[in-house]
Amino acid sequence: SYGRDDGLGNLALYGLLQDSRGALWASTEGGLYREVQRVTDPVLPVERYAAAAETPDGSLYVVSARGLFRHRRGRWTRVAIDDPRAQRGVSAVASGPDGSLWLGGMMPGLLQVAPDGDRTRTLSWWTSPSISSEQILFLRFDRRGWLWVGTDRGVDVFNGARWRHLAQTDRLLWDDLGEGAFLADYDGTVWFGTSRGLSHLLRPELLFDPPRL
């Protein structure tokens, strides 16, 4: 276990990411940490970091209330999100297999952008009924390339062509998901953390191809 005595200065953690090089990044209330050392850089504000994602080219993107930041080849850069719908900030990020970024959490929908230098280019915008709530608590891709969106009203999943909604009526333990509480397991199953406990989806492939009677 790690705490303040080990260098972790803030114990309020919102997200963990292990990158392709094996480094562990922690998004906390009081800054961004690599392993247990706080990352310091003139570009990075010392504030709450909510999530991180790594794109296929090895770039690391982190989000805070002040925007989107990228770490590539040892250098931090602030990346401007040109879409005005993201002006309130971002609290969730995921990297798609194509290198695009999916952003949400503090805006009235779900935004897909393509990094373009130190700016972004909008690719798509999703709102209801595709996503069930504007309160996005996690964004994650699994090994199939499916996007999982956790909200306070259940889980929305996108297979690249269609959306599917999961709620208590689908035997999800509770509709209010936990922030960052998602795991795509090695066996293909999916785990969700909710405010009432843990749900385990054993056959995700049946969501878009249910068995015929």
PDB file of all heavy atoms in Angstrom, residues 31-43:
ATOM      1  N   GLY A  31      -3.435  16.950  -7.780  1.00  0.00           N
ATOM      2  CA  GLY A  31      -2.415  16.905  -8.812  1.00  0.00           C
ATOM      3  C   GLY A  31      -2.327  15.557  -9.497  1.00  0.00           C
ATOM      4  O   GLY A  31      -3.038  14.607  -9.163  1.00  0.00           O
ATOM      5  N   LEU A  32      -1.425  15.474 -10.450  1.00  0.00           N
ATOM      6  CA  LEU A  32      -1.179  14.246 -11.203  1.00  0.00           C
ATOM      7  C   LEU A  32       0.096  13.599 -10.672  1.00  0.00           C
ATOM      8  O   LEU A  32       1.103  14.276 -10.476  1.00  0.00           O
ATOM      9  CB  LEU A  32      -1.028  14.578 -12.689  1.00  0.00           C
ATOM     10  CG  LEU A  32      -0.752  13.411 -13.628  1.00  0.00           C
ATOM     11  CD1 LEU A  32      -1.975  12.509 -13.739  1.00  0.00           C
ATOM     12  CD2 LEU A  32      -0.341  13.935 -15.013  1.00  0.00           C
ATOM     13  N   TYR A  33       0.037  12.274 -10.465  1.00  0.00           N
ATOM     14  CA  TYR A  33       1.186  11.542  -9.929  1.00  0.00           C
ATOM     15  C   TYR A  33       1.616  10.456 -10.900  1.00  0.00           C
ATOM     16  O   TYR A  33       0.779   9.794 -11.521  1.00  0.00           O
ATOM     17  CB  TYR A  33       0.847  10.890  -8.579  1.00  0.00           C
ATOM     18  CG  TYR A  33       0.768  11.872  -7.441  1.00  0.00           C
ATOM     19  CD1 TYR A  33      -0.341  12.704  -7.287  1.00  0.00           C
ATOM     20  CD2 TYR A  33       1.803  11.985  -6.522  1.00  0.00           C
ATOM     21  CE1 TYR A  33      -0.415  13.619  -6.248  1.00  0.00           C
ATOM     22  CE2 TYR A  33       1.744  12.899  -5.472  1.00  0.00           C
ATOM     23  CZ  TYR A  33       0.631  13.705  -5.346  1.00  0.00           C
ATOM     24  OH  TYR A  33       0.566  14.616  -4.322  1.00  0.00           O
ATOM     25  N   ARG A  34       2.930  10.300 -11.034  1.00  0.00           N
ATOM     26  CA  ARG A  34       3.510   9.157 -11.749  1.00  0.00           C
ATOM     27  C   ARG A  34       4.144   8.274 -10.694  1.00  0.00           C
ATOM     28  O   ARG A  34       5.066   8.690  -9.996  1.00  0.00           O
ATOM     29  CB  ARG A  34       4.556   9.620 -12.764  1.00  0.00           C
ATOM     30  CG  ARG A  34       5.096   8.504 -13.654  1.00  0.00           C
ATOM     31  CD  ARG A  34       6.103   9.055 -14.655  1.00  0.00           C
ATOM     32  NE  ARG A  34       6.526   8.056 -15.614  1.00  0.00           N
ATOM     33  CZ  ARG A  34       7.509   7.185 -15.413  1.00  0.00           C
ATOM     34  NH1 ARG A  34       8.171   7.194 -14.262  1.00  0.00           N
ATOM     35  NH2 ARG A  34       7.828   6.305 -16.350  1.00  0.00           N
ATOM     36  N   GLU A  35       3.626   7.059 -10.580  1.00  0.00           N
ATOM     37  CA  GLU A  35       3.929   6.217  -9.424  1.00  0.00           C
ATOM     38  C   GLU A  35       3.465   6.978  -8.170  1.00  0.00           C
ATOM     39  O   GLU A  35       2.299   7.285  -8.047  1.00  0.00           O
ATOM     40  CB  GLU A  35       5.415   5.842  -9.390  1.00  0.00           C
ATOM     41  CG  GLU A  35       5.940   5.243 -10.684  1.00  0.00           C
ATOM     42  CD  GLU A  35       5.292   3.924 -11.100  1.00  0.00           C
ATOM     43  OE1 GLU A  35       4.651   3.268 -10.253  1.00  0.00           O
ATOM     44  OE2 GLU A  35       5.409   3.544 -12.281  1.00  0.00           O
ATOM     45  N   VAL A  36       4.376   7.331  -7.255  1.00  0.00           N
ATOM     46  CA  VAL A  36       3.963   8.084  -6.062  1.00  0.00           C
ATOM     47  C   VAL A  36       4.610   9.463  -6.012  1.00  0.00           C
ATOM     48  O   VAL A  36       4.631  10.109  -4.959  1.00  0.00           O
ATOM     49  CB  VAL A  36       4.281   7.296  -4.768  1.00  0.00           C
ATOM     50  CG1 VAL A  36       3.433   6.048  -4.680  1.00  0.00           C
ATOM     51  CG2 VAL A  36       5.769   6.940  -4.702  1.00  0.00           C
ATOM     52  N   GLN A  37       5.125   9.933  -7.139  1.00  0.00           N
ATOM     53  CA  GLN A  37       5.740  11.248  -7.191  1.00  0.00           C
ATOM     54  C   GLN A  37       4.844  12.203  -7.984  1.00  0.00           C
ATOM     55  O   GLN A  37       4.440  11.885  -9.107  1.00  0.00           O
ATOM     56  CB  GLN A  37       7.119  11.174  -7.854  1.00  0.00           C
ATOM     57  CG  GLN A  37       8.102  10.272  -7.122  1.00  0.00           C
ATOM     58  CD  GLN A  37       8.386  10.757  -5.706  1.00  0.00           C
ATOM     59  OE1 GLN A  37       8.570  11.951  -5.475  1.00  0.00           O
ATOM     60  NE2 GLN A  37       8.430   9.823  -4.768  1.00  0.00           N
ATOM     61  N   ARG A  38       4.545  13.349  -7.404  1.00  0.00           N
ATOM     62  CA  ARG A  38       3.703  14.313  -8.102  1.00  0.00           C
ATOM     63  C   ARG A  38       4.434  14.866  -9.316  1.00  0.00           C
ATOM     64  O   ARG A  38       5.602  15.214  -9.242  1.00  0.00           O
ATOM     65  CB  ARG A  38       3.277  15.452  -7.176  1.00  0.00           C
ATOM     66  CG  ARG A  38       2.245  16.381  -7.840  1.00  0.00           C
ATOM     67  CD  ARG A  38       1.566  17.274  -6.821  1.00  0.00           C
ATOM     68  NE  ARG A  38       2.473  18.236  -6.220  1.00  0.00           N
ATOM     69  CZ  ARG A  38       2.814  19.391  -6.794  1.00  0.00           C
ATOM     70  NH1 ARG A  38       2.331  19.706  -7.986  1.00  0.00           N
ATOM     71  NH2 ARG A  38       3.641  20.212  -6.194  1.00  0.00           N
ATOM     72  N   VAL A  39       3.723  14.947 -10.430  1.00  0.00           N
ATOM     73  CA  VAL A  39       4.293  15.478 -11.664  1.00  0.00           C
ATOM     74  C   VAL A  39       4.266  17.000 -11.603  1.00  0.00           C
ATOM     75  O   VAL A  39       3.207  17.594 -11.385  1.00  0.00           O
ATOM     76  CB  VAL A  39       3.499  14.987 -12.891  1.00  0.00           C
ATOM     77  CG1 VAL A  39       4.079  15.567 -14.172  1.00  0.00           C
ATOM     78  CG2 VAL A  39       3.495  13.464 -12.948  1.00  0.00           C
ATOM     79  N   THR A  40       5.401  17.620 -11.770  1.00  0.00           N
ATOM     80  CA  THR A  40       5.479  19.077 -11.756  1.00  0.00           C
ATOM     81  C   THR A  40       5.977  19.564 -13.111  1.00  0.00           C
ATOM     82  O   THR A  40       6.960  19.055 -13.651  1.00  0.00           O
ATOM     83  CB  THR A  40       6.424  19.581 -10.647  1.00  0.00           C
ATOM     84  OG1 THR A  40       7.729  19.015 -10.833  1.00  0.00           O
ATOM     85  CG2 THR A  40       5.892  19.184  -9.284  1.00  0.00           C
ATOM     86  N   ASP A  41       5.273  20.525 -13.649  1.00  0.00           N
ATOM     87  CA  ASP A  41       5.632  21.110 -14.935  1.00  0.00           C
ATOM     88  C   ASP A  41       4.933  22.455 -15.026  1.00  0.00           C
ATOM     89  O   ASP A  41       3.789  22.598 -14.569  1.00  0.00           O
ATOM     90  CB  ASP A  41       5.188  20.201 -16.083  1.00  0.00           C
ATOM     91  CG  ASP A  41       5.754  20.646 -17.425  1.00  0.00           C
ATOM     92  OD1 ASP A  41       5.159  21.556 -18.044  1.00  0.00           O
ATOM     93  OD2 ASP A  41       6.788  20.107 -17.835  1.00  0.00           O
ATOM     94  N   PRO A  42       5.596  23.478 -15.589  1.00  0.00           N
ATOM     95  CA  PRO A  42       4.957  24.790 -15.705  1.00  0.00           C
ATOM     96  C   PRO A  42       3.633  24.760 -16.456  1.00  0.00           C
ATOM     97  O   PRO A  42       2.760  25.605 -16.221  1.00  0.00           O
ATOM     98  CB  PRO A  42       5.997  25.619 -16.451  1.00  0.00           C
ATOM     99  CG  PRO A  42       7.305  24.953 -16.174  1.00  0.00           C
ATOM    100  CD  PRO A  42       6.984  23.499 -16.068  1.00  0.00           C
ATOM    101  N   VAL A  43       3.461  23.789 -17.340  1.00  0.00           N
ATOM    102  CA  VAL A  43       2.229  23.707 -18.131  1.00  0.00           C
ATOM    103  C   VAL A  43       1.071  23.153 -17.306  1.00  0.00           C
ATOM    104  O   VAL A  43      -0.093  23.512 -17.518  1.00  0.00           O
ATOM    105  CB  VAL A  43       2.463  22.835 -19.383  1.00  0.00           C
ATOM    106  CG1 VAL A  43       1.155  22.609 -20.147  1.00  0.00           C
ATOM    107  CG2 VAL A  43       3.494  23.484 -20.281  1.00  0.00           C
TER     108      VAL A  43
END
